[in-house]
Amino acid sequence: MVAKAVKILIVEDDEALSETVKNTVQSLGETTQVYDGREALFEVQSGIYDLVLLDVMLPEMDGYTILKRAREEFPKLPILMLTAKDELEDKMHGFDLGADEYITKPFYKEELLARAKALLRQAGLIGDEGLLHVGNVEINVEKHQIAVNDEPVNIQGREFGLLVYLVQHQDQIVTKEQIFDRLWGFDSETSLTVVEVYMSNLRKNLRKAGANLNIKTLRNVGYTLNVMDEEDA
């Protein structure tokens, strides 16, 4: 299984419009669609998404409430608001609550895609031409290729997805549960210990390739990836 480098949550109660949004942005990564506010908040609080496209008017819970709760837990999560309201007061309210972008329905597909891509770039989740750089490692997230000191390294499947996820959250703590939910999914029957197996294999492959990256285990907390100091490399 090839892991997608970016996970996008689409929150829109109009199913036809949700499909349009999905078809517009799915080139950027894996998409998940939800249709009411409470389910949306549950998904956001999982912490596994890189971008949220959030409608304002939703059943069960409105988008502004979700935005406020999301910002309390994930201050850096890119959130783009989708709304039929184009009044300045509504937009300012969204920005005051922490929205990164605002797009008014109806919208041009090209504009939505461009704004979504810009948010992912600003967050460091995708680079120019689909490239990510950290230390002496280059990752082409679109072609699923990895190079260390310009030499190709064979890291594929979920191991590739694991490295991308750690790089996208460089110097941040990610929990074992977040990694599992991200790469295997909530409803997977696989044991959580599979994360440790893949983490061990990834460390070995990076070390063998001469990558100057260090993946630390923080007991009972999670993992963090950083670039080694020269004396530690």
Side-chain angles (χ1 to χ4, degrees):
M1 176 180 177
V2 176
K4 292 272 189 173
V6 169
K7 292 182 81 74
I8 302 171
L9 178 64
I10 300 169
V11 185
E12 169 58 63
D13 63 325
D14 183 322
E15 294 190 15
L17 182 55
S18 178
E19 283 299 310
T20 298
V21 174
K22 175 185 176 180
N23 293 335
T24 300
V25 302
Q26 64 185 357
S27 63
L28 299 177
E30 179 182 339
T31 58
T32 297
Q33 296 163 276
V34 295
Y35 306 98
D36 70 68
R38 294 197 182 278
E39 187 178 2
L41 182 60
F42 174 80
E43 291 288 343
V44 169
Q45 290 178 326
S46 72
I48 67 171
Y49 293 98
D50 302 304
L51 173 65
V52 179
L53 306 179
L54 178 61
D55 188 20
V56 172
M57 303 301 293
L58 294 164
E60 304 292 338
M61 183 182 296
D62 67 80
Y64 291 136
T65 301
I66 297 167
L67 173 61
K68 185 175 183 295
R69 297 279 294 276
R71 277 292 165 258
E72 292 170 354
E73 297 187 49
F74 307 104
K76 295 183 179 179
L77 174 64
I79 300 177
L80 186 154
M81 302 298 290
L82 304 169
T83 180
K85 298 182 177 182
D86 59 359
E87 289 84 359
L88 178 60
E89 182 179 350
D90 293 312
K91 292 184 178 180
M92 293 307 298
H93 183 51
F95 285 128
D96 286 343
L97 290 175
D100 296 289
E101 264 288 8
Y102 218 106
I103 192 166
T104 304
K105 308 173 192 176
F107 49 78
Y108 292 105
K109 295 178 182 179
E110 295 83 359
E111 181 183 7
L112 175 60
L113 179 61
R115 293 194 183 198
K117 189 179 295 185
L119 286 178
L120 291 170
R121 282 200 182 114
Q122 290 167 18
L125 298 170
I126 61 173
D128 293 335
E129 299 180 354
L131 299 178
L132 292 174
H133 295 89
V134 58
N136 61 353
V137 178
E138 179 183 272
I139 304 172
N140 189 316
V141 296
E142 295 178 359
K143 296 182 179 180
H144 287 79
Q145 296 174 345
I146 297 174
V148 175
N149 292 322
D150 297 323
E151 292 294 326
V153 178
N154 185 28
I155 295 177
Q156 300 294 330
R158 286 194 175 95
E159 193 175 327
F160 175 90
L162 175 57
L163 177 59
V164 170
Y165 188 48
L166 291 172
V167 168
Q168 289 173 334
H169 296 82
Q170 181 183 349
D171 298 322
Q172 301 175 35
I173 297 172
V174 293
T175 68
K176 188 183 297 184
E177 290 77 12
Q178 285 175 322
I179 293 171
F180 183 84
D181 291 343
R182 168 92 176 199
L183 299 180
W184 282 269
F186 300 113
D187 54 355
S188 174
E189 297 180 0
T190 306
S191 168
L192 191 61
T193 56
V194 72
V195 174
E196 298 171 9
V197 175
Y198 274 77
M199 193 68 71
S200 176
N201 290 338
L202 178 60
R203 283 187 174 116
K204 290 176 183 177
N205 285 326
L206 291 174
R207 192 180 307 118
K208 182 179 178 181
N212 62 349
L213 303 182
N214 183 35
I215 302 173
K216 294 182 181 178
T217 299
L218 306 175
R219 190 175 298 276
N220 298 323
V221 179
Y223 306 92
T224 182
L225 177 143
N226 51 58
V227 179
M228 296 181 189
D229 296 329
E230 289 188 11
E231 57 267 24
D232 296 329

